[in-house]
Amino acid sequence: RMLVPALLILLFCLRGHAGLSPHFLQQPDDLVALLGEEARLPCALGEYWGLVQWTKDGLALGGERDLPGWSRYWISGNAASGQHDLYIKPVELEDQASYECQATQAGLRSRPAQLHVLVPPEAPQVLGGPCVSLVAGVPANLTCRSHGDARPTPELLWFRDGIRLDGTTFHQTLPKEGTTGSVESILSLTPSSHDDGATLVCRARSQALPSGKDTAITLSLQYPPVVTLSAEPQTVLEGETVTFLCQATAQPPVTGYRWAKGGSPVLGARGPMLEVVADASFLTEPVSCEVSNAVGSANRSTALDVQFGPVLQARPEPLSVDVGEDASFSCAWRGNPLPRVTWSRSGDAQVLASGPTLRLPSVGPEDAGDYVCRAEPGLSGLGGGAAEARLTVNAPPIVTALHSAPAFLRGPARLQCLVFASPAPDAVVWSWDEGFLAAGSQGRFLVETFPAPEGRGGQGTALISVLHISGTQESDFSRGFNCSARNRLGEAGTQVSLGRRVSASFPKQKNLVRIPGSSDGSSSQGPEEEETGSGEDRGPIVHKEHSDLVLDEEGALESKDPTNGYYKVRGVSVSLSLGEGTGGGLFLPPPSPLGPPGTPTFYDFNSHLGMVPPCRLYRARAGYLTTPHPRAFTSYSKPTSVGPPDLAPRTPPFPYAAFPIPSHPRLQTHV
């Protein structure tokens, strides 16, 4: 037994002395090979000329060079030089294993080398491809899947025009037994109409195929119309024709057009073109075009630059301010381009201000009047104009004495004053030594106040107040009568004197006529007086020098009647009125103070009041008469219209603006 080990030791020693022992010059390393490609595992030995074999997962493949039984395997290399490489072609999945190179006679084994077989991914599949239909503006998901036994698991990437897209999610499905797994990538996007026809690429990439495999799809977008609206011309003069053109791209095609102006439908407009005549409203009321298809609708609008002349939008309002206060007028004109607005006084070309507002600080009486807001015509020559407003400056009244005709002693008399006041006076009062009177009658006196027939344009309207005296006395010619007026801002007055008229003798004879109803009995009676009235109804004797006074056949005094019997009242006082006076009396308007002496003494206010005065006969003491009296009038004059009142000499003009004229002024005259 001891002999065998000794021999082996001896043999080893002899060999060591003879040369080097067998050893590996090259051992196989781990290798990655693609499915279907060729794999080479190298193995080289030195100082060994014996049997060399390869093992797969510990199973010997054989010692022959062509490895019978393994059709895709073989050993190659120069055996004399110790080269024993293992080749596998084509590589299949079953070839993935651990391989060793062994020198059996030398008892040598190489380190294990792991062969990894890679399987390239197949081209991925995009659901819905190759043409995917989407709706513009609606979020959508595109799904890309990769099936098969790709090793390693591929990654799926999205590209557009060579640029990688973000916003994807990755999901892997593990294979079940007997099946293959899959991976998928989902791309989330919200397409627009600009994406129509775009190409997207899904790429499956792995170590087995770094360049990857691509699958391309084309996007087919359905989208509502994309609208463009134009106008020709865009800038236009008012009255010219404008053409609107509405163009749209849509998928599916356009199904209809609808036009509107300022939000209101344009009736009858259905196509892509609209023709209109431009006016100022198109500047602020845009024209819109709405286009529809099966997916939705869209609209566009545009406003025209319409040039037009000034149009008045807001008139200036009349103002009434007190003296010393500020006044401000405003008016508004609309135009394109913006009109130039100026202010001036009515009848005066001087420009006071420019712009929509006129400010007058601390106004005085001289500022009262009409102010004009004016806009010049536009480029087309149309439009423009002016608007007026009145400034009323409130101040204390101004009272002026008017010319009063001289009166006969014991005859009727009339005193007049002109009152300017704004605001309207609270009262116009006549006063004299023993009394005063604002309206109505008192003894021999009667007061009536009425608007002057014609105001002074821009400077106000006046009141005329008349004091009638029935049966003048000596004291009336020597005393002063005061006419005064007051309003909330103050009061003023003037003194009016009564002039005396000396009676003239008749060429033929002197006729005396008694006016019945007079309370004055100071005159003496003559023989003629007893024929014209009783002692109970006596009046003052009035001296008449009219040539139309004659005696009738019975010796009674008779007067010619120019009215041909229309008015014939005898022996009574009468009144003709437009309305009842204070205290029930009816009076005829006083003789005009406006004309020169000798003109008919009659006021005609019909042109101002628009009404026909009713005729009533009234006896101061006995009441209404039912039959005309033949001697009511000694003369008659046809009514004539009168003009503005003539002021007394050196009467200052009234600077204040008008106050309202009463709608039904009372006009009375007492004879």
Side-chain angles (χ1 to χ4, degrees):
R1 295 179 179 177
M2 297 297 294
L3 181 61
V4 174
L7 290 174
L8 292 175
I9 294 172
L10 179 63
L11 180 60
F12 179 77
C13 292
L14 291 174
R15 291 183 61 186
H17 289 284
L20 296 175
S21 62
H23 60 278
F24 283 102
L25 298 176
Q26 185 179 10
Q27 298 187 55
D29 293 319
D30 291 344
L31 178 65
V32 175
L34 291 178
L35 181 69
E37 300 293 329
E38 180 182 86
R40 172 180 169 270
L41 295 172
C43 179
L45 292 167
E47 302 299 327
Y48 181 76
W49 294 272
L51 178 66
V52 176
Q53 70 173 5
W54 284 86
T55 63
K56 175 184 177 182
D57 289 337
L59 177 64
L61 298 179
E64 294 81 0
R65 304 287 287 184
D66 57 355
L67 297 178
W70 301 88
S71 58
R72 296 180 294 106
Y73 291 60
W74 71 92
I75 297 175
S76 179
N78 188 352
S81 61
Q83 195 73 32
H84 306 279
D85 298 339
L86 176 64
Y87 283 85
I88 304 173
K89 185 181 180 180
V91 176
E92 296 182 359
L93 288 177
E94 61 187 31
D95 298 330
Q96 184 166 290
S98 177
Y99 293 87
E100 289 183 4
C101 179
Q102 297 178 354
T104 56
Q105 295 175 348
L108 295 177
R109 299 173 61 183
S110 70
R111 61 177 176 268
Q114 187 69 35
L115 175 61
H116 298 279
V117 179
L118 302 182
V119 180
E122 298 177 356
Q125 176 188 9
V126 179
L127 300 185
C131 184
V132 179
S133 180
L134 301 176
V135 177
V138 178
N141 294 327
L142 298 179
T143 301
C144 178
R145 289 177 180 173
S146 176
H147 295 279
D149 294 325
R151 297 183 184 181
T153 300
E155 62 176 340
L156 301 177
L157 305 175
W158 289 92
F159 294 88
R160 177 174 179 174
D161 299 330
I163 300 175
R164 183 175 174 178
L165 301 178
D166 296 326
T168 62
T169 58
F170 183 80
H171 178 71
Q172 180 178 7
T173 302
L174 296 177
K176 296 181 181 179
E177 186 176 353
T179 63
T180 59
S182 66
V183 292
E184 67 180 27
S185 177
I186 299 175
L187 174 64
S188 298
L189 74 162
T190 301
S192 68
S193 59
H194 302 291
D195 298 324
D196 186 40
T199 298
L200 301 183
V201 173
C202 179
R203 177 175 298 168
R205 186 179 68 178
S206 71
Q207 183 183 356
L209 190 62
S211 61
K213 285 191 175 182
D214 296 343
T215 297
I217 62 168
T218 301
L219 298 182
S220 176
L221 265 296
Q222 292 186 351
Y223 53 89
V226 178
V227 182
T228 58
L229 179 60
S230 61
E232 183 62 34
Q234 189 72 37
T235 300
V236 62
L237 292 178
E238 187 175 22
E240 293 184 346
T241 300
V242 179
T243 300
F244 293 91
L245 181 61
C246 185
Q247 297 175 307
T249 57
Q251 182 64 32
V254 172
T255 57
Y257 294 85
R258 188 174 69 172
W259 293 88
K261 173 178 174 285
S264 300
V266 179
L267 301 180
R270 291 289 182 268
M273 185 179 296
L274 175 66
E275 190 173 272
V276 299
V277 176
D279 58 32
S281 64
F282 284 88
L283 189 65
T284 55
E285 298 179 6
V287 172
S288 63
C289 173
E290 182 179 85
V291 186
S292 305
N293 69 352
V295 177
S297 63
N299 71 78
R300 288 292 181 271
S301 63
T302 183
L304 293 178
D305 182 17
V306 182
Q307 297 184 349
F308 58 95
V311 178
L312 182 62
Q313 286 188 303
R315 302 184 64 88
E317 298 293 334
L319 292 178
S320 177
V321 299
D322 292 347
V323 171
E325 293 183 350
D326 296 342
S328 178
F329 289 102
S330 63
C331 70
W333 292 85
R334 176 171 167 260
N336 184 32
L338 290 175
R340 179 175 179 266
V341 179
T342 59
W343 292 86
S344 61
R345 295 195 69 160
S346 180
D348 189 349
Q350 181 182 0
V351 175
L352 301 178
S354 297
T357 303
L358 171 65
R359 292 182 173 85
L360 302 173
S362 187
V363 297
E366 67 280 1
D367 296 316
D370 294 328
Y371 289 83
V372 182
C373 172
R374 180 175 288 104
E376 299 299 328
L379 298 178
S380 62
L382 301 176
E388 290 190 4
R390 174 163 294 183
L391 173 62
T392 300
V393 179
N394 301 321
I398 292 180
V399 183
T400 305
L402 293 179
H403 170 72
S404 300
F408 290 111
L409 179 64
R410 301 184 183 86
R414 182 183 69 251
L415 302 178
Q416 303 173 104
C417 67
L418 182 63
V419 178
F420 290 101
S422 177
D426 302 324
V428 179
V429 180
W430 286 88
S431 59
W432 54 95
D433 294 341
E434 68 271 20
F436 65 90
L437 186 61
S441 60
Q442 175 182 321
R444 298 182 298 117
F445 301 97
L446 167 69
V447 170
E448 53 183 351
T449 302
F450 49 89
E454 195 172 314
R456 303 173 68 178
Q459 292 191 349
T461 304
L463 293 177
I464 293 179
S465 186
V466 181
L467 173 64
H468 298 276
I469 305 175
S470 175
T472 59
Q473 300 177 0
E474 288 288 348
S475 59
D476 296 334
F477 299 103
S478 59
R479 75 174 75 186
F481 294 89
N482 187 67
C483 176
S484 61
R486 69 173 181 274
N487 62 11
R488 64 178 175 82
L489 297 175
E491 63 179 305
T494 187
Q495 191 173 60
V496 184
S497 298
L498 178 61
R500 185 165 182 171
R501 183 173 182 178
V502 180
S503 59
S505 59
F506 290 96
K508 296 181 180 181
Q509 67 178 36
K510 184 175 182 180
N511 297 314
L512 302 180
V513 178
R514 180 177 301 280
I515 298 180
S518 173
S519 60
D520 185 6
S522 60
S523 300
S524 59
Q525 297 181 3
E528 295 84 2
E529 299 176 37
E530 297 180 359
E531 297 181 6
T532 59
S534 65
E536 296 179 356
D537 189 14
R538 300 176 181 270
I541 296 178
V542 179
H543 296 265
K544 291 290 191 176
E545 59 179 1
H546 300 291
S547 61
D548 58 354
L549 294 178
V550 297
L551 293 176
D552 58 13
E553 296 179 355
E554 299 177 359
L557 187 62
E558 186 71 33
S559 65
K560 294 180 181 180
D561 181 12
T563 67
N564 296 323
Y566 187 84
Y567 294 122
K568 279 201 169 213
V569 181
R570 182 170 182 170
V572 294
S573 297
V574 297
S575 296
L576 181 63
S577 174
L578 299 181
E580 293 192 6
T582 305
L586 299 175
F587 306 99
L588 184 70
S592 171
L594 309 180
T599 58
T601 56
F602 189 88
Y603 274 110
D604 179 14
F605 290 101
N606 290 341
S607 60
H608 302 279
L609 302 178
M611 57 185 292
V612 179
C615 179
R616 294 181 180 175
L617 301 180
Y618 182 79
R619 182 190 291 243
R621 296 180 180 176
Y624 286 98
L625 297 180
T626 57
T627 57
H629 195 282
R631 297 191 179 181
F633 294 86
T634 58
S635 65
Y636 173 82
S637 296
K638 182 179 179 180
T640 57
S641 299
V642 296
D646 295 328
L647 301 180
R650 297 183 301 277
T651 300
F654 180 63
Y656 303 121
F659 47 81
I661 298 177
S663 58
H664 296 288
R666 188 182 69 230
L667 311 175
Q668 301 177 342
T669 299
H670 181 72
V671 181

